[in-house]
Amino acid sequence: VVPTLITPNMDGKNDYFVLKGSDGDGKKELIIFDRRGVQVYENANYDNSWNGVDYKGNPLSDDTYFYVLKIGKGTSVSGYIVVRR
């Protein structure tokens, strides 16, 4: 299950981009792009820790972002994620 919204205000609800049901799938790579197609985040061994920040840890603006999730051997999934603080 891949969420379509995170609200990283650290209230304990939807603060992180958490992939549910993927624990046994092995290594996961997550890449996040802004709406212009600029890559803003990447984690080659994703561990459900992305909370709407860029490479430097700066909070991203409230907006819609796009992701590519590479799972295991050649499988990839793409979609969007809305960030609302």
Side-chain angles (χ1 to χ4, degrees), residues 24-83:
D25 293 341
K27 184 176 174 181
K28 297 175 283 294
E29 180 180 5
L30 176 67
I31 306 169
I32 305 286
F33 301 90
D34 67 13
R35 63 176 56 244
R36 296 174 313 220
V38 176
Q39 187 173 323
V40 295
Y41 178 84
E42 180 177 13
N43 186 328
N45 195 16
Y46 188 61
D47 58 356
N48 290 333
S49 62
W50 186 65
N51 62 345
V53 297
D54 66 12
Y55 285 111
K56 298 178 183 177
N58 299 317
L60 294 170
S61 305
D62 284 7
D63 205 345
T64 300
Y65 295 87
F66 301 90
Y67 67 85
V68 174
L69 179 63
K70 297 178 183 177
I71 304 170
K73 300 176 182 168
T75 304
S76 66
V77 177
S78 60
Y80 71 94
I81 182 74
V82 176
V83 175

